C-alpha cells in the first residue's frame, strides 16, 4: 500500500512537445553525435524524433501541443547525479578543516537532531539546486534515521519537484562499541534496517521502463556496518529485479588504514567478501582504488561515482579517473552531501573533474566531451538506466536540459565551441534555462516549478507550526509559520498545476529555521570556523 507521507507520483503527460531551432544539441548518442540547428520532438514521456531542424517532418512541426524555442541554447540529455546525501544540505560550511573521519565525527551529533520535517526541507533544498544546475535524475543516500525520519520524506520531496529519483535506503549498524566510527547512539539495529529496506522496496520500487523511482540499498560504509549487513543487503536486493547496491569505498588514506587494520585486506578483497563485486553495484569516491581493483571493476561492470568537490574539500585526494576510463571502468559523477562539497551542481562537478585530471601536467587528462559523458551516460549506467536515460535519441526518456548562452556575459566569445563553454567558462553562469523530465517542463526560463503546485510548502509550514519550532532571535515558530502560510502562492487552487514557480521564500525560511535547530548546542569549535 502506498504511503501518503511519501507524496503522490506524477503521471507522464499525454501531449506532445517540440523543441525547435536548437542552436547546438549534444545528444550523447554515438550515431547522432552533436547537431547544430536541431529539433527534438517528444510524445508523452518519450523522445520520438531528433535531427536537423531542416529535416523535421512537417506533420511534427505543425502538430505539437507545446513549442519551445531553442535558439541561443545548448541542449543536452538531463544530467544524472549518482551520489548525494540530501539530508546534509542544512549544515554547510561546518568542520571546514578536517579529514573525512574527523568531519564525520563532528557532524554525526548534528545529523542526529534531524526529524522527518528537517530531512524533507533539506532534501528539497538539495534537489532544487540540482534541478537548477541541469540534473534530471538523482540518487540520494540516506543513512541516518533519527527520530521519525523515513526514506518516505525524501521520496515526497522528489515527487513535489518532479525529479527522477533513485533513493538509497542506507543505514549504520556498527557504532564505536563494535569497532565503527559513529556513536552507538546514532546506529540502528540490523534487523530493523533490513525490515525497512524490504518495506521500501515493496512500497516504492518501480522497475518498469522510464520509471520515476527505483530503489537501491546502501549500508553506509565498511566503517559503520558489519560484513553481515552488507551480505544480507546484497542478497535482499538481488531478490528484487532492478534494486541496486550503493555505498562509499576507498575514499581516502584513513579508509585504507581502517580496512587493513580491521579486516586485514584491501578494498577489492572486501567487496568480494561481502558479495558486492557484481554489476549491480556502484561505489562513491574510489579515490584509492589500485590498478588490480580498477581491473576488477572493469571486468565485473561495477560503477564509480566520482565526487571531485568533496574529495578536494576533505583533502581525500584526486581519484584516478583517467586510469579508470582507460581500464574500461564506468564513471559517473556525484555532488556528495552539501556539507562536504558544499554545493549541489553537477556541472560544477564535471568542470572540476576535468580540471583535476589536468592538474598533474597532462593537458589531455580529461576532455570536455568525456566529462559531459560522465555526467550523462556515465551516471545513467551507474543507475542501471543506460538504455533509457542519458542520451537524446528516439525511444529514450524525455529528460532534456537547455542552457542559454546567448545574452550571457559568461559565454561571450564562445562561438568556437558553445558546448565546451558549459565547462570551460565561468562556473556560475546561471541556472539551466529549460529542464524537461519525463516529458514535463520542470524548469521554465530559469524558474524552478513546483510539480505539486507548492502543496509541499503548505504542509511543511503546517508541520512546523504543529511542532512549535522556535526561531532563534526571531518570531516564535507558530507565529512565523502562520505568516508563511499566507505567503504560499496560489493556495489550494494551485495544486497539481505544472506552471507554478517553487515557493523559494517559504523554502529558505524553513531551511533557516531547521538549520538553526540542527546546530543549536554545537560548539564554535565544532562549527569549524577559523
Ligand atoms: Zn558520501
Amino acid at each position: 500500500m502506498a504511503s501518503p507521507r511519501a507524496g503522490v507520483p506524477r503521471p507522464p503527460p499525454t501531449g506532445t512537445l517540440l523543441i525547435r531551432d536548437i542552436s547546438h544539441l549534444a545528444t550523447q548518442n554515438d550515431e547522432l553525435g552533436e547537431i547544430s540547428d536541431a529539433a527534438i520532438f517528444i510524445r508523452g514521456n518519450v523522445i520520438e524524433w531528433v535531427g536537423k531542424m531542416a529535416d523535421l517532418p512537417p506533420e511534427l512541426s505543425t502538430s505539437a501541443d507545446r513549442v519551445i524555442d531553442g535558439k541561443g541554447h545548448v541542449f543536452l540529455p538531463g544530467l544524472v547525479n549518482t551520489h548525494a546525501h540530501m539530508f546534509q544540505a542544512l549544515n554547510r560550511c561546518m568542520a571546514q578543516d578536517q579529514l573525512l573521519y574527523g568531519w564525520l565525527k563532528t557532524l554525526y551529533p548534528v545529523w542526529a537532531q534531524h526529524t522527518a520535517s528537517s530531512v524533507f526541507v533539506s532534501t528539497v533544498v538539495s534537489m532544487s539546486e540540482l534541478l537548477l544546475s541541469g540534473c534530471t535524475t538523482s540518487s540520494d543516500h540516506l543513512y541516518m534515521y533519527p527520530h521519525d525520519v523515513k526514506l518516505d520524506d525524501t521520496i515526497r520531496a522528489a515527487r513535489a519537484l518532479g525529479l527522477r529519483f533513485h533513493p538509497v535506503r542506507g543505514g549504520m549498524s556498527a557504532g564505536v562499541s563494535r569497532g565503527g566510527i559513529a556513536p552507538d547512539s546514532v546506529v540502528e539495529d540490523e534487523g530493523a534496517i533490513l525490515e525497512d529496506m524490504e518495506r521500501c522496496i515493496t512500497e516504492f520500487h518501480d522497475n518498469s521502463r522510464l520509471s520515476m523511482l527505483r530503489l537501491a540499498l546502501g549500508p553506509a560504509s565498511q566503517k559503520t556496518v558489519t560484513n553481515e549487513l552488507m551480505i544480507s543487503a546484497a542478497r535482499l536486493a538481488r531478490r528484487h529485479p532492478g534494486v541496486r547496491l550503493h555505498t562509499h569505498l576507498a575514499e581516502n588514506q584513513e579508509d585504507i588504514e581502517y580496512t587493513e587494520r580491521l579486516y586485514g585486506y584491501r578494498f577489492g578483497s572486501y567487496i568480494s567478501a561481502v558479495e558486492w563485486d557484481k554489476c549491480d553495484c556502484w561505489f562513491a569516491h574510489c579515490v584509492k582504488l589500485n590498478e588490480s581493483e580498477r581491473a576488477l571493476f572493469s571486468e565485473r561492470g561495477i560503477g564509480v561515482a566520482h565526487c571531485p568537490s568533496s574529495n578536494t574539500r576533505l583533502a581525500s585526494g584526486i581519484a584516478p579517473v583517467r586510469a579508470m576510463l582507460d581500464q574500461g571502468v564506468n564513471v559517473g559523477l556525484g555532488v556528495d552531501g552539501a556539507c562536504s562539497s558544499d554545493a549541489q551542481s553537477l556541472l560544477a562537478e564535471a568542470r572540476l573533474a576535468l580540471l583535476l585530471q589536468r592538474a598533474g601536467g597532462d593537458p589531455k587528462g580529461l576532455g570536455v566531451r568525456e566529462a559531459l559523458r560522465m555526467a550523462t551516460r556515465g551516471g545513467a549506467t551507474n543507475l542501471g538506466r543506460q538504455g533509457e536515460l542519458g542520451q537524446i535519441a528516439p525511444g529514450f526518456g524525455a529528460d532534456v536540459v537547455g542552457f542559454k548562452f546567448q545574452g550571457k556575459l559568461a559565454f561571450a566569445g564562445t562561438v568556437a565551441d558553445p558546448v565546451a563553454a558549459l565547462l570551460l567558462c565561468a562556473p556560475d553562469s546561471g541556472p539551466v534555462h529549460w529542464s524537461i523530465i519525463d516529458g514535463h517542463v520542470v524548469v521554465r526560463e530559469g524558474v524552478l516549478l513546483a510539480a505539486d503546485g507548492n502543496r509541499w510548502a503548505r504542509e511543511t509550514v503546517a508541520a512546523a507550526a504543529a511542532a512549535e519550532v522556535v526561531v532563534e532571535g526571531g518570531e516564535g515558530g507558530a507565529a512565523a509559520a502562520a505568516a508563511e502560510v499566507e505567503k504560499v502562492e496560489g493556495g489550494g487552487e494551485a495544486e497539481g498545476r505544472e506552471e507554478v514557480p517553487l515557493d523559494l521564500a517559504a523554502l529558505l525560511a524553513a531551511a533557516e529555521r531547521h538549520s538553526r535547530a540542527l546546530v543549536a548546542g554545537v560548539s564554535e569549535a565544532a562549527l569549524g570556523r577559523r
Side-chain angles (χ1 to χ4, degrees):
M1 198 177 87
S3 160
R5 180 168 160 180
V8 181
R10 187 187 200 187
T14 52
T16 55
L17 169 65
L18 170 65
I19 310 172
R20 55 175 298 148
D21 298 307
I22 299 169
S23 297
H24 301 276
L25 173 60
T27 66
Q28 303 296 325
N29 177 271
D30 293 336
E31 273 180 38
L32 295 168
E34 294 185 10
I35 309 170
S36 56
D37 302 315
I40 305 168
F41 188 87
I42 293 166
R43 187 179 301 278
N45 62 348
V46 180
I47 295 170
E48 184 171 299
W49 188 93
V50 183
K52 294 283 280 184
M53 188 64 206
D55 298 331
L56 180 68
E59 65 273 20
L60 298 187
S61 177
T62 55
S63 69
D65 297 317
R66 181 167 187 168
V67 179
I68 290 173
D69 182 5
K71 205 158 189 288
H73 291 72
V74 172
F75 269 80
L76 302 168
L79 309 183
V80 181
N81 179 37
T82 63
H83 187 61
H85 310 288
M86 299 187 184
F87 70 94
Q88 298 177 1
L90 303 180
N91 305 115
R92 297 195 230 209
C93 309
M94 291 180 63
Q96 290 171 18
D97 305 309
Q98 297 193 50
L99 292 172
L100 173 66
Y101 284 24
W103 176 89
L104 282 169
K105 288 172 185 172
T106 300
L107 287 159
Y108 285 137
V110 176
W111 298 330
Q113 307 306 313
H114 261 304
T115 61
S117 180
S118 59
V119 163
F120 171 74
V121 168
S122 188
T123 305
V124 174
V125 167
S126 184
M127 286 180 177
S128 298
E129 268 196 276
L130 279 164
L131 285 160
L132 283 167
S133 64
C135 173
T136 56
T137 298
S138 183
S139 63
D140 177 36
H141 191 188
L142 181 61
Y143 57 75
M144 282 183 68
Y145 292 82
H147 302 112
D148 55 344
V149 173
K150 291 169 86 174
L151 194 72
D152 312 35
D153 307 310
T154 65
I155 291 170
R156 179 173 154 229
R159 287 171 170 169
L161 296 174
L163 179 74
R164 205 183 290 274
F165 197 33
H166 283 237
V168 184
R169 203 308 181 181
M172 299 197 296
S173 64
V176 172
S177 66
R178 296 175 77 186
I181 67 165
D184 288 343
S185 58
V186 302
V187 304
E188 294 176 273
D189 171 74
E190 293 196 354
I193 291 173
L194 289 165
E195 196 176 305
D196 195 51
M197 285 175 166
E198 188 137 31
R199 175 191 72 85
C200 290
I201 294 170
T202 305
E203 287 196 23
F204 303 120
H205 179 63
D206 173 7
N207 198 36
S208 65
R209 185 171 170 80
L210 303 185
S211 156
M212 286 296 285
L213 197 156
R214 285 200 197 149
L215 210 80
L217 305 183
S221 65
Q222 77 270 32
K223 52 195 174 284
T224 54
V225 302
T226 63
N227 285 8
E228 290 71 34
L229 182 63
M230 293 290 285
I231 293 167
S232 299
R235 291 178 181 176
L236 172 60
R238 289 175 184 138
R239 289 203 293 273
H240 300 275
V243 174
R244 295 174 77 79
L245 294 161
H246 175 58
T247 193
H248 301 89
L249 194 75
E251 189 162 347
N252 70 357
Q253 186 62 29
E254 293 173 302
D255 259 358
I256 292 180
E257 290 163 10
Y258 183 91
T259 307
E260 289 187 344
R261 190 175 68 246
L262 201 66
Y263 302 111
Y265 44 56
R266 275 192 58 96
F267 308 112
S269 305
Y270 170 73
I271 63 170
S272 295
V274 295
E275 304 176 9
W276 281 55
D277 55 353
K278 312 270 188 304
C279 64
D280 54 2
C281 300
W282 87 101
F283 294 95
H285 306 301
C286 300
V287 173
K288 299 294 181 183
L289 283 194
N290 64 23
E291 189 173 353
S292 65
E293 288 160 346
R294 294 194 295 271
L296 176 71
F297 271 52
S298 174
E299 179 198 317
R300 301 287 174 86
I302 302 166
V304 170
H306 176 42
C307 307
S309 292
S310 177
N311 296 159
T312 47
R313 153 78 142 90
L314 295 175
S316 299
I318 300 174
V321 171
R322 180 73 269 153
M324 289 176 187
L325 295 175
D326 289 345
Q327 286 185 254
V329 178
N330 183 69
V331 183
L333 292 175
V335 296
D336 208 352
C339 60
S340 67
S341 55
D342 297 24
Q344 304 282 271
S345 166
L346 265 181
L347 217 50
E349 297 300 329
R351 172 181 162 85
L352 186 56
L354 178 146
L355 297 177
L356 283 177
Q357 294 305 309
R358 294 170 179 223
D362 180 4
K364 294 181 180 172
L366 192 69
V368 166
R369 267 73 187 176
E370 285 180 303
L372 287 174
R373 193 176 172 108
M374 279 164 39
T376 53
R377 287 179 65 164
T381 302
N382 273 351
L383 301 182
R385 311 297 295 259
Q386 58 268 35
E388 304 169 72
L389 307 173
Q391 301 182 45
I392 296 179
F396 275 73
D399 293 4
V400 300
V401 292
F403 294 89
K404 191 173 185 181
F405 62 89
Q406 209 166 56
K408 283 192 177 172
L409 187 60
F411 292 149
T414 59
V415 290
D417 192 345
V419 175
L422 293 176
L423 299 192
L424 297 180
C425 294
D428 57 350
S429 52
V432 68
H433 206 65
W434 291 101
S435 176
I436 290 131
I437 304 178
D438 207 41
H440 291 288
V441 175
V442 173
V443 176
R444 181 194 61 213
E445 296 180 342
V447 176
L448 180 59
L449 306 174
D452 75 343
N454 282 318
R455 182 176 153 189
W456 70 271
R458 295 192 300 284
E459 290 180 357
T460 302
V461 167
E468 293 193 5
V469 177
V470 175
V471 179
E472 196 178 297
E475 298 173 82
E484 283 163 25
V485 171
E486 295 295 311
K487 285 189 281 180
V488 175
E489 187 186 333
E493 292 166 27
E495 196 170 312
R497 282 170 46 193
E498 188 173 86
E499 300 297 326
V500 181
L502 183 84
D503 190 333
L504 196 60
L507 177 60
L508 294 177
E512 183 173 340
R513 184 171 63 237
H514 284 298
S515 182
R516 286 178 187 279
L518 287 172
V519 299
V522 176
S523 69
E524 280 291 307
L527 287 171
R529 296 191 200 107
R530 66 172 188 181

